[in-house]
């Protein structure tokens, strides 16, 4: 529920309660005053009629004044009672107040009833109800229009800011920069968010620089270790065990090196660094890189089939495109089976690289995430496809993955 | 040949010196920009290894200075940055070659030799090792004066091994040399064995000696001994 509606609902509920209480209070007070007034008049009228009766005037005006002769004598009670009488004019029973008096004149006994109608009290109720209803309806209507107007004036800057926040990323390197609002609460929130985003940007930049520096620092360290291992290997006194140990160290260092290089590239891609662009003949690049894989494929009895039916050229960085193709092909060979195939199909604006292989146990949506590579292949470092995805994002190529009929399929659309 | 190594990482510079010790080069090492500038204005070098990231300046400036004062000197850039960053910059300024850290010492050694061959033995790019003769310009190999047909990869491997004779070369370095920088993603490296086997067979079939030795599956060595 929107804030303004929540507030309005509270307003309406409270206003409703106040209206009802006021209505009841006013009605009871007015009713009491009115009844008192009516009864006062009834008494005066009664006294007047009694005077006129003794003066010899006979008044009979049913149902307001009724005079009848009676046999026995009653003591006059002289107080007001309620009654209801059917009125032909209204065609229903209407409430009356009446005073009954017993009078004696010339040895005869009389019963005098003087009445007055209470229809005015009904009118009072209806009038009050109408006034209150109209006021309440007007109140609701005004609230409604007020809300619409205030939503527009007060909340539109708020929603604009909300949209800004939704689309905000610290990677942009800029603070979120929310608009100034005349409302203190929003202003305070905005200034807190602005400061927060500035801090986040600062921290992010520091972290980015740190990881880049670290990676470059690591490369130098790896270089030194690698060179020392190569020098050690030249020692002719080494026995087989020594050499195997050296080899293990060397291979793991190579893995570390690969991971580090991949992370540097990923960081660059994520930072959207500037990359030189050239016009690249894609089929040429694919042809050149796929020849590099022929030997490794043959050693695993994997057949590489290349169908390049397009002369597509794309404007992008050659090294990145080479990395893209290289990672895809190396992936398609790594996750292949004995006697399997890799098909590279380029047609129109799209490239399909498909290979035989078992279905991954993990979620297919995860395959482009870093370190989600299957753990059982110790050679795989799982960053290859993450890099592929980032390169595609950089150049707005559409990339999709599907597993179909024992084939892993990766589509790239270069539009 | 006279080499100048400009590299701020002392341990790495020492490794390079040690690895190339038997090549009969005269090697001088400087660790910063200032020393490098002084050296290149004082003495002549045949080849310089330039690290682009020096603590007190950019190696790119040294390259342009070298091109001015010693146009004959070959230049190999060694940098922690890779091809996507500044390979183009270095090569545009006139460097002969570019190596990304971490590199194989054997690869660097082969590149140095290749640069020197190109710069100082133009016209007679012939390498002779006993009965084996390599024409580097035409990429042709002769054993006992008879030409043998090698594949592209076999030729690259042979030249790499001979450039680093008496050195153990790891499978990784051989593959990276013959299949390119990205080949470290291949995973299984045993396929290089087939190529070495074929290469040895082609040489011995033509009457050449069996000079390529395997070292417990770690790598290979070309040795006349």
């Amino acid at each position: 529920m929107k804030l303004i509606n929540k507030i309005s609902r509270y307003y309406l509920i409270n206003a409703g309660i106040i209206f009802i209480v006021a209505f009841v209070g006013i009605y009871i007070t007015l009713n009491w005053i009115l009844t008192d007034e009516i009864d006062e008049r009834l008494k005066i009228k009664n006294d007047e009629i009694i005077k006129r009766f003794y003066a010899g005037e006979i008044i009979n005006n049913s149902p307001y004044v009724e005079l009848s002769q009676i046999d026995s004598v009653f003591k006059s009670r002289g107080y007001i009672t309620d009654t209801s009488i059917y009125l032909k004019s209204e065609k229903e029973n209407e409430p009356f107040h009446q005073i009954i008096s017993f009078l004696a004149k010339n040895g005869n006994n009389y019963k005098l009833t003087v009445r007055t109608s209470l229809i005015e009290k009904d009118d009072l109720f209806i009038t009050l109800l109408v006034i209150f209803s109209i006021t309440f309806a007007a109140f609701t209507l005004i609230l409604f229009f007020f809300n619409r107007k205030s939503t527009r004036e007060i909340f539109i800057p708020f929603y604009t800011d909300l949209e800004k926040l939704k689309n905000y990323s610290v990677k942009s390197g800029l603070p979120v920069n929310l608009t100034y609002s005349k409302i203190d609460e929003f202003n305070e929130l905005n200034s807190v968010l602005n400061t927060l985003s500035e801090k986040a940007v600062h921290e992010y930049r520091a972290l980015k620089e740190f990881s880049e520096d670290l990676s470059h620092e690591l490369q130098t360290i790896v270089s030194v270790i690698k060179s020392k291992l190569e020098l050690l290997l030249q020692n002719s006194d080494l026995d087989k065990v020594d050499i195997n140990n050296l080899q293990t160290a060397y291979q793991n260092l190579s893995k570390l090196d690969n991971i580090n290089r991949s992370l540097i590239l990923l960081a660059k891609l994520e930072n959207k660094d500037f990359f030189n662009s050239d016009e690249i003949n894609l089929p040429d690049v694919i042809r050149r890189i796929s020849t590099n894989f022929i030997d490794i494929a043959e050693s695993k009895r994997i057949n590489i089939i290349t169908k390049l039916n397009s002369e597509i050229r794309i404007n992008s960085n050659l090294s990145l495109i080479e990395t893209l193709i290289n990672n895809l092909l190396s992936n398609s060979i790594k996750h292949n089976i004995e006697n399997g195939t890799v098909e590279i199909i380029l047609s129109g604006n799209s490239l399909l690289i498909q290979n035989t292989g078992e279905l991954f146990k993990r979620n297919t949506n995860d395959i482009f995430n870093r370190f989600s590579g299957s753990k059982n292949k110790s050679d795989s470092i799982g960053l290859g496809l993450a890099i592929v995805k980032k390169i595609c994002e950089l150049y707005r190529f559409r990339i999709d993955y599907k597993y179909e009929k024992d084939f892993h399929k990766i589509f790239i659309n270069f539009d | 040949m006279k080499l100048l190594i400009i590299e701020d990482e002392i341990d790495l510079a020492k490794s390079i010196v040690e690895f190339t010790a038997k090549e009969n080069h005269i090697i001088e090492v400087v660790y910063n920009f200032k020393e490098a500038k002084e050296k290149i204005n004082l003495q002549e070098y045949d080849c310089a290894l330039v690290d682009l990231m020096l603590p007190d300046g950019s190696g790119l400036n040294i390259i342009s200075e070298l091109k001015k004062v010693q146009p004959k000197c070959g230049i190999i850039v060694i940098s922690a940055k890779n091809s996507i960053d500044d390979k183009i910059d270095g090569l545009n300024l006139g460097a002969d070659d570019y190596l990304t850290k971490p590199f194989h010492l054997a690869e660097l050694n082969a590149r140095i030799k290749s640069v020197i061959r190109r710069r100082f033995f133009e016209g007679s790019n012939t390498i002779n090792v006993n009965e084996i003769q390599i024409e580097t310009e035409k990429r042709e190999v002769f054993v006992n004066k008879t030409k043998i047909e090698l594949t592209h990869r076999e030729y690259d491997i042979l030249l790499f091994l001979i450039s680093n004779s008496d050195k153990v070369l790891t499978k990784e370095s051989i593959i990276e040399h013959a299949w390119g920088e990205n080949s470290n993603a291949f995973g299984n490296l045993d396929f290089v064995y087939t190529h070495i086997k074929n290469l040895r067979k082609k040489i011995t079939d033509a009457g050449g000696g069996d000079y390529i030795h395997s070292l417990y599956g770690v790598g290979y060595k070309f040795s006349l001994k």
Side-chain angles (χ1 to χ4, degrees):
Chain A
M1 183 181 267
K2 286 191 172 175
L3 176 66
I4 191 85
N5 291 347
K6 188 92 184 166
I7 292 171
S8 301
R9 180 185 271 201
Y10 277 120
Y11 265 127
L12 281 178
I13 289 169
N14 285 326
I17 291 167
I18 291 167
F19 268 76
I20 288 165
V21 170
F23 176 79
V24 171
I26 289 172
Y27 177 74
I28 288 169
T29 316
L30 283 183
N31 190 37
W32 181 74
I33 292 169
L34 197 66
T35 314
D36 201 48
E37 182 69 28
I38 288 168
D39 289 349
E40 202 64 36
R41 284 184 186 195
L42 185 61
K43 275 178 193 160
I44 292 166
K45 194 176 160 193
N46 187 48
D47 290 350
E48 199 184 308
I49 286 170
I50 289 171
K51 260 185 214 158
R52 279 159 69 187
F53 170 77
Y54 282 117
E57 202 178 329
I58 302 298
I59 308 138
N60 223 341
N61 179 21
S62 183
Y64 300 103
V65 181
E66 282 171 7
L67 184 70
S68 54
Q69 204 169 354
I70 50 169
D71 300 334
S72 45
V73 181
F74 293 93
K75 217 177 171 193
S76 171
R77 283 178 291 181
Y79 59 80
I80 297 163
T81 51
D82 281 317
T83 185
S84 82
I85 289 165
Y86 184 81
L87 283 187
K88 275 179 199 150
S89 59
E90 304 289 324
K91 289 179 181 163
E92 59 183 331
N93 284 321
E94 291 293 341
F96 281 82
H97 270 186
Q98 62 181 16
I99 300 178
I100 298 169
S101 317
F102 297 96
L103 308 169
K105 189 182 164 187
N106 307 329
N108 292 325
N109 292 320
Y110 296 93
K111 179 189 174 193
L112 175 71
T113 311
V114 180
R115 296 197 181 98
T116 186
S117 166
L118 292 178
I119 288 177
E120 288 168 67
K121 274 172 67 180
D122 272 11
D123 290 348
L124 172 75
F125 182 81
I126 288 160
T127 314
L128 269 181
L129 196 66
V130 169
I131 292 172
F132 270 82
S133 304
I134 289 172
T135 318
F136 191 72
F139 178 80
T140 314
L141 213 65
I142 289 167
L143 196 68
F144 174 74
F145 282 111
F146 168 79
N147 281 357
R148 273 221 331 211
K149 199 171 145 59
S150 59
T151 311
R152 216 171 289 150
E153 285 185 1
I154 300 169
F155 280 94
I156 278 186
F158 173 78
Y159 286 122
T160 323
D161 285 349
L162 202 64
E163 205 51 41
K164 270 191 200 167
L165 281 172
K166 273 185 201 161
N167 298 323
Y168 180 68
S169 157
V170 281
K171 287 177 193 168
S172 69
L174 299 166
V176 62
N177 202 8
L178 299 172
T179 33
Y180 175 78
S181 162
K182 281 175 190 160
I183 294 157
D184 291 347
E185 285 89 340
F186 289 167
N187 231 9
E188 205 178 325
L189 181 70
N190 285 2
S191 77
V192 168
L193 287 174
N194 280 335
T195 322
L196 196 71
S197 72
E198 270 169 41
K199 252 193 220 163
V201 165
H202 181 79
E203 303 267 310
Y204 178 76
R205 213 176 278 157
L207 187 69
K208 208 175 77 179
E209 276 165 21
F210 173 74
S211 44
E212 243 184 276
D213 288 352
L214 187 72
S215 293
H216 279 122
E217 202 61 37
L218 276 176
Q219 263 184 314
T220 310
I221 295 168
V222 170
S223 304
V224 173
I225 302 174
K226 196 168 177 174
S227 68
K228 297 300 173 196
L229 288 178
E230 277 179 70
L231 286 173
L232 261 178
L233 208 56
Q234 308 309 326
N235 188 341
S236 49
D237 297 337
L238 299 175
D239 61 18
K240 198 182 172 191
V241 177
D242 294 335
I243 286 177
N244 279 336
N245 285 338
L246 260 178
Q247 189 186 20
T248 311
Y250 190 82
Q251 281 168 349
N252 279 286
L253 189 68
S254 293
K255 269 185 215 168
L256 176 68
D257 181 25
N258 283 342
I259 293 173
N260 199 38
R261 281 184 206 218
S262 299
L263 287 177
I264 290 174
L265 181 56
L266 264 179
K268 266 183 209 307
L269 288 165
E270 270 172 13
N271 299 343
K272 305 233 176 345
D273 281 358
F274 176 75
F275 298 101
N276 288 321
S277 269
D278 289 308
E279 200 190 61
I280 293 166
N281 184 323
L282 197 60
D284 277 359
V285 175
I286 295 174
R287 225 169 273 134
R288 183 154 45 80
I289 291 175
S290 59
T291 18
N292 273 351
F293 283 91
I294 290 170
D295 298 300
I296 175 80
E298 268 174 13
S299 75
K300 294 175 107 182
R301 294 175 212 284
I302 293 166
N303 193 14
I304 300 182
I305 301 163
T306 326
K307 292 175 192 161
L308 307 175
N309 304 322
S310 166
E311 281 301 310
I312 178 175
R313 287 160 190 273
I314 49 176
N315 238 320
S316 40
N317 182 285
L318 182 61
S319 290
L320 288 183
I321 298 304
E322 284 176 349
T323 307
L324 177 95
I325 305 293
N326 203 75
N327 288 3
L328 286 174
L329 287 184
S330 112
N331 212 63
S332 69
I333 286 171
K334 229 180 269 170
H335 298 288
N336 217 317
I337 49 172
E338 193 94 347
N339 296 315
T341 48
V342 173
E343 283 182 50
I344 309 163
I345 301 161
L346 184 69
S347 60
N349 284 335
S350 55
L351 171 70
L352 164 63
I353 294 185
Q354 57 175 8
N355 65 276
T356 45
E358 287 160 25
L359 183 62
F360 298 131
K361 286 195 183 83
R362 65 181 184 277
N363 191 340
T364 52
N365 296 327
D366 278 350
I367 67 155
F368 294 117
N369 289 340
R370 46 176 82 178
F371 294 117
S372 72
S374 53
K375 296 281 179 271
N376 52 346
K377 306 251 176 176
S378 60
D379 301 327
S380 117
I381 54 167
L383 286 169
L385 285 181
I387 290 173
V388 165
K389 180 150 188 245
K390 285 283 167 208
I391 295 173
C392 287
E393 277 173 13
L394 180 75
Y395 291 117
R396 295 174 208 281
F397 302 152
R398 223 185 46 237
I399 182 159
D400 288 303
Y401 165 79
K402 224 179 1 188
Y403 186 79
E404 212 175 57
K405 293 172 189 157
D406 302 331
F407 272 90
H408 295 284
K409 299 180 171 192
I410 289 180
F411 301 89
I412 297 180
N413 196 307
F414 296 97
D415 276 345
Chain B
M1 290 289 146
K2 203 164 174 192
L3 303 188
L4 177 65
I5 300 175
I6 307 164
E7 165 63 66
D8 64 313
E9 188 56 49
I10 298 169
D11 290 327
L12 186 62
K14 280 185 183 162
S15 295
I16 299 170
V17 173
E18 194 181 329
F19 195 86
T20 49
K22 284 182 193 157
E23 305 288 347
N24 295 321
H25 297 310
I26 301 162
I27 302 175
E28 287 187 24
V29 185
V30 290
Y31 302 114
N32 57 47
F33 183 81
K34 200 173 144 254
E35 284 175 7
K37 273 223 152 170
E38 282 167 16
K39 279 276 178 197
I40 59 176
N41 284 297
L42 278 174
Q43 298 193 43
E44 293 246 321
Y45 297 94
D46 299 313
C47 187
L49 310 183
V50 185
D51 185 353
L52 285 190
M53 291 206 291
L54 294 167
D56 53 344
S58 167
L60 289 173
N61 291 333
I62 292 174
I63 298 174
S64 44
E65 179 105 4
L66 260 173
K67 294 306 288 180
K68 244 190 302 176
V69 292
Q70 300 192 35
K72 274 178 78 184
C73 175
I75 301 168
I76 297 174
V77 169
I78 42 179
S79 168
K81 292 188 174 177
N82 62 20
S83 54
I84 299 166
D85 304 305
D86 49 15
K87 191 172 207 158
I88 317 289
D89 284 353
L91 294 180
N92 280 353
L93 275 171
D96 297 77
D97 214 337
Y98 193 108
L99 260 182
T100 306
K101 281 185 197 173
F103 48 80
H104 298 278
L105 289 173
E107 183 65 38
L108 177 66
N109 194 30
R111 301 272 185 113
I112 294 171
K113 287 193 172 169
S114 160
V115 165
I116 290 173
R117 261 202 317 273
R118 278 203 305 258
R119 288 204 159 244
F120 298 94
F121 302 103
E122 239 174 294
S124 61
N125 287 336
T126 311
I127 299 170
N128 286 303
V129 187
N130 283 5
E131 65 278 12
I132 301 170
Q133 187 186 347
I134 303 176
E135 295 287 344
T136 56
E137 194 77 344
K138 294 183 200 152
R139 296 176 61 90
E140 285 174 347
V141 179
F142 299 87
V143 176
N144 292 324
K145 305 256 168 27
T146 318
K147 192 177 160 193
I148 57 170
E149 291 300 331
L150 296 184
T151 65
H152 183 77
R153 311 272 186 218
E154 286 162 3
Y155 173 85
D156 285 342
I157 294 172
L158 179 64
L159 185 60
F160 188 53
L161 283 166
I162 286 178
S163 297
N164 289 290
S165 53
D166 289 325
K167 295 272 194 297
V168 176
L169 306 184
T170 57
K171 281 184 291 189
E172 283 89 346
S173 67
I174 295 171
I175 288 170
E176 227 174 283
H177 178 82
W179 278 266
E181 223 178 297
N182 285 322
S183 54
N184 44 30
F186 286 175
N188 190 334
L189 306 176
D190 292 332
F191 66 90
V192 74
Y193 169 74
T194 322
H195 293 265
I196 299 269
K197 197 179 72 184
N198 292 342
L199 180 60
R200 281 163 81 174
K201 191 165 182 298
K202 281 179 185 174
I203 294 170
T204 48
D205 280 358
D210 190 9
Y211 304 122
I212 303 173
H213 309 283
S214 164
L215 191 83
Y216 305 121
V218 178
Y220 299 90
K221 179 154 100 171
F222 185 93
S223 176
L224 297 175
K225 285 168 216 160

